[in-house]
Amino acid sequence: MTQAYPPEDGKGLSMRNLTHLIYGLFALGLLSAGFFGIATIAAVVLAYLKRSDAAGTVYARHFDWVIKTFWWGLLWVVLSALATFIFIGWITGLIALVWIVYRIIKGWLALASGQPPVAEY
């Protein structure tokens, strides 16, 4: 199923570019190993702020994707941090990090190809 991106009105930052910015900020926060962790938080805040503007478009799915990736990733990283006391947290933390990176790459590639991200279960 192919969905075309809606036409832009030419005012300000286009929704497509904004979505690229959100993915880029999220990735920057991950790649910097937390040094620019504020970039990841900024990406999620931006996704929350612009989600209503994107309602009914393909971009809304991308914003939801980023938000869900952040909250589920945070949950698993925190649980992994707690589990380091029983020495399994390092493994689960690494798995959580790989999952977060996978979701960001998958979503960003979907955006580049003009598709919404699709969760495969």
Side-chain angles (χ1 to χ4, degrees), residues 3-121:
Q3 293 183 356
Y5 284 113
E8 300 291 338
D9 62 1
K11 299 176 190 169
L13 190 62
S14 73
M15 195 61 68
R16 182 177 173 87
N17 288 339
L18 178 66
T19 310
H20 278 294
L21 176 65
I22 289 171
Y23 279 116
L25 286 171
F26 203 120
L28 176 65
L30 289 177
L31 291 174
S32 66
F35 184 70
F36 291 114
I38 192 75
T40 300
I41 294 169
V44 173
V45 168
L46 196 55
Y48 270 115
L49 290 174
K50 292 297 188 174
R51 188 163 59 167
S52 63
D53 294 345
T57 69
V58 176
Y59 304 109
R61 297 270 307 270
H62 285 282
F63 291 176
D64 291 341
W65 182 264
V66 168
I67 291 167
K68 287 177 185 176
T69 299
F70 174 78
W71 286 114
W72 280 106
L74 182 64
L75 172 69
W76 289 114
V77 168
V78 168
L79 290 176
S80 295
L82 293 173
T84 57
F85 295 113
I86 57 171
F87 304 108
I88 195 170
W90 299 106
I91 296 168
T92 58
L94 181 61
I95 292 169
L97 182 62
V98 168
W99 179 82
I100 294 167
V101 170
Y102 166 78
R103 296 248 322 170
I104 293 303
I105 291 171
K106 183 175 181 173
W108 211 346
L109 288 174
L111 176 65
S113 68
Q115 300 294 317
V118 178
E120 297 167 5
Y121 299 103

